[in-house]
Amino acid sequence: HNNPSIVNMSYGGYGLPKIVFDVLKILAEHGIVLIAAAGNEGKSFPADPASSPYVIAVGAIDRNRNIARFSNRGSGINIYAPGQDIVLSSQISRTPWSGTSFSSPFVAGLCANIMQGRPRPRNWNDVLEIKEKLLSLTILRNNIPIIKTLETIQSTEEDTKIFDEHIPNDNN
């Protein structure tokens, strides 16, 4: 039975109780891929729950592919994705929104793509393999790992071909 499990946490704060971190550890040890928004205070460390070592912490970049001024940053952030001036397709108004809560779904979607056609992760080692594959699909810009999907958002047809070659399928 192929049933990938990903939890995207587009929320955060500071000082979450220890039991929350215990639950995150248990989920990851059972093969659940956990992704969380890193926070919007411009701090040098991620907010909770992104601060957990069992969570993929996601920061935000702007349209120039720089860390967004509001995004938390630093070595505790695993990956950066678009998070500034995001227009939601479900909005009646086309007002853009910003925040790492808009960045983490990009990463969750890429993880889902990585997991497509593969057996459901069963343990922490399986989650680490997915995280490693995710990080292999990044480019380094100013020493920050940025998801390559950004390359396809503002790309040429050639860039899209390059990205598509890296997307796993049943034959990989």
Side-chain angles (χ1 to χ4, degrees):
H1 179 106
N2 203 9
N3 187 17
S5 295
I6 299 170
V7 174
N8 176 59
M9 297 172 279
S10 286
Y11 64 88
Y14 298 93
L16 289 179
K18 181 183 179 306
I19 192 164
V20 172
F21 292 95
D22 293 342
V23 169
L24 294 172
K25 179 181 179 192
I26 291 167
L27 290 171
E29 288 174 344
H30 284 84
I32 308 298
V33 178
L34 303 168
I35 299 157
N40 302 319
E41 296 79 32
K43 295 185 179 201
S44 60
F45 52 88
D48 301 337
S51 64
S52 167
Y54 296 96
V55 172
I56 298 170
V58 184
I61 54 173
D62 61 24
R63 72 177 56 238
N64 295 319
R65 301 178 186 158
N66 297 311
I67 298 175
R69 61 175 169 53
F70 57 81
S71 179
N72 289 0
R73 59 200 72 222
S75 61
I77 313 300
N78 301 113
I79 192 168
Y80 292 81
Q84 187 167 331
D85 298 327
I86 305 297
V87 177
L88 306 178
S89 62
S90 64
Q91 284 186 287
I92 295 172
S93 163
R94 302 300 283 173
T95 304
W97 292 74
S98 296
T100 58
S101 290
F102 298 98
S103 305
S104 59
F106 278 98
V107 174
L110 189 53
C111 283
N113 198 317
I114 290 168
M115 294 166 66
Q116 183 179 359
R118 296 175 184 217
R120 182 193 181 286
R122 288 188 231 140
N123 55 46
W124 176 235
N125 287 333
D126 291 348
V127 171
L128 287 176
E129 284 181 30
I130 292 164
K131 183 177 178 180
E132 187 177 306
K133 179 64 177 173
L134 171 69
L135 294 177
S136 77
L137 296 175
T138 62
I139 57 169
L140 282 179
R141 184 164 192 276
N142 300 325
N143 283 332
I144 60 169
I146 300 172
I147 62 170
K148 282 187 181 177
T149 51
L150 181 60
E151 296 298 312
T152 63
I153 292 169
Q154 300 167 338
S155 69
T156 65
E157 187 174 325
E158 185 61 29
D159 289 333
T160 303
K161 279 191 222 173
I162 291 168
F163 180 71
D164 288 343
E165 291 170 7
H166 290 90
I167 298 296
N169 60 39
D170 293 291
N171 300 325
N172 290 5

